[in-house]
Amino acid sequence: MLLKRFKNVLLIAVLSTVIFSCKDDDDRGGEIIPPRDRTEQYATDSESIETYLETHYMTVDADLNVMIAKIPEENSSEYTSIKDQSDYPLQFITRKNDTRLSYLKGGRIDDPVDYKIYYILLNEGGGQRPTTIDSSFVDYRGWTLENQEFDRATSPVWTSFPSSTAEFIAGFRQVLPLMKTPETTIVNGDGTVSYINYGNCVVFIPSGLGYFNNSRGLYIGPYENLVFQIKLKSLHYNDHDRDKILSKDEYYNPSGVTDIGLFNQDSDGDGIPDFLDTDDDGDGVLTRNELKIPGTVPQLYYQFNDIPSCTGDQVDPNRLKKHLDSGCQ
């Protein structure tokens, strides 16, 4: 699919789908059919994924690469389904669709479904966790429930947010925070890199968290459920608005799913989430300017945990940090 066309080209940053958009002549004539009711479609997708997990088995090689095949009718008792195997237990998380109407200001698409995302954590990893909006360096392979491979990246590629030209499906992004980067990376004498103890996961994605009613490439039709194996090799914590606060930290009332909270954290109510807003409190002073440490040459900035309130209080949690207090300039 797309990566076949981009293997030797600088890859475009992505927002909400790991597979990059293809030209119309690469997909099924750009086929888009009218959307079905999302709740009804999810019921169908859920049944299909459950059936797949019950009727297929998986093998894992020494490098933790997964191969999945259908359990043959003959001697079926000799095989253990994905659902029933215990070497790498099947787990799930429940998430809302966080696909955006636009990559900057748009709210989430209208989707009432609470999606169950099945996954198998082959290895958690020993480094740091990304959020869904950080830049992640990943290998991956993707296939349909018919076991038709549609995409793979055998060398790590960067996936970034935001991008107005390509998308990263929600189901792929939402599993990334379950993994960690490698514990160690080693540059070998021949210039290759060895990644030691990295996150490795298989995820089963219902169409509502994929392309839904759209088709992609030769093998992804409308309402296609997708499977990915993802290996997390590195990450970069982003500061999208360059205000000296990492985007992952611009969520100040943690509860539930942090990554959705990042989009909902809008301190000045201007429709722009704080992690994309250069003036978080709307007081006319850029956030980065409010974080300057007075009298430092060269200019230094407060680290997030050290940002004081307007009165200089760094301890009282009931006081707004100065960059969130519109009365403090």
Side-chain angles (χ1 to χ4, degrees), residues 233-250:
K233 299 298 181 65
S234 186
L235 73 87
H236 172 74
Y237 287 124
N238 290 323
D239 177 8
H240 289 91
D241 50 11
R242 299 183 181 181
D243 63 358
K244 300 296 183 179
I245 302 175
L246 293 177
S247 295
K248 70 181 181 67
D249 292 328
E250 297 210 53

Side-chain angles (χ1 to χ4, degrees), residues 127-197:
Q128 298 175 303
R129 293 189 192 277
T131 69
T132 63
I133 61 172
D134 289 311
S135 296
S136 298
F137 199 46
V138 296
D139 295 346
Y140 67 87
R141 185 170 72 90
W143 61 96
T144 66
L145 296 192
E146 289 72 41
N147 293 326
Q148 176 63 60
E149 182 177 309
F150 56 80
D151 200 2
R152 77 161 62 206
T154 54
S155 297
V157 295
W158 281 104
T159 64
S160 299
F161 171 88
S163 169
S164 60
T165 58
E167 292 189 339
F168 219 2
I169 56 175
F172 190 108
R173 285 186 298 104
Q174 290 181 343
V175 77
L176 291 175
L178 301 176
M179 295 182 284
K180 296 179 181 179
T181 56
E183 180 179 348
T184 306
T185 58
I186 301 172
V187 180
N188 303 309
D190 59 0
T192 61
V193 179
S194 296
Y195 301 94
I196 311 302
N197 188 22

Side-chain angles (χ1 to χ4, degrees), residues 63-130:
D63 295 321
L64 297 184
N65 295 309
V66 167
M67 292 300 297
I68 292 179
K70 190 169 185 178
I71 297 174
E73 293 184 5
E74 294 184 3
N75 302 319
S76 61
S77 61
E78 298 179 5
Y79 298 85
T80 303
S81 70
I82 297 171
K83 188 173 184 177
D84 292 333
Q85 59 82 31
S86 58
D87 290 339
Y88 300 97
L90 183 67
Q91 304 177 70
F92 70 87
I93 53 175
T94 302
R95 294 290 186 267
K96 287 286 190 182
N97 191 341
D98 64 353
T99 302
R100 316 313 294 180
L101 291 169
S102 71
Y103 81 99
L104 184 58
K105 291 187 179 181
R108 294 204 307 272
I109 63 172
D110 185 14
D111 187 347
V113 177
D114 292 312
Y115 289 95
K116 179 183 285 188
I117 306 174
Y118 284 105
Y119 69 95
I120 296 171
L121 192 61
L122 299 165
N123 191 58
E124 183 180 28
Q128 298 175 303
R129 293 189 192 277

Side-chain angles (χ1 to χ4, degrees), residues 29-43:
E31 179 183 1
I32 300 177
I33 64 175
R36 299 172 183 167
D37 178 87
R38 283 186 172 270
T39 301
E40 294 177 1
Q41 183 59 41
Y42 174 60

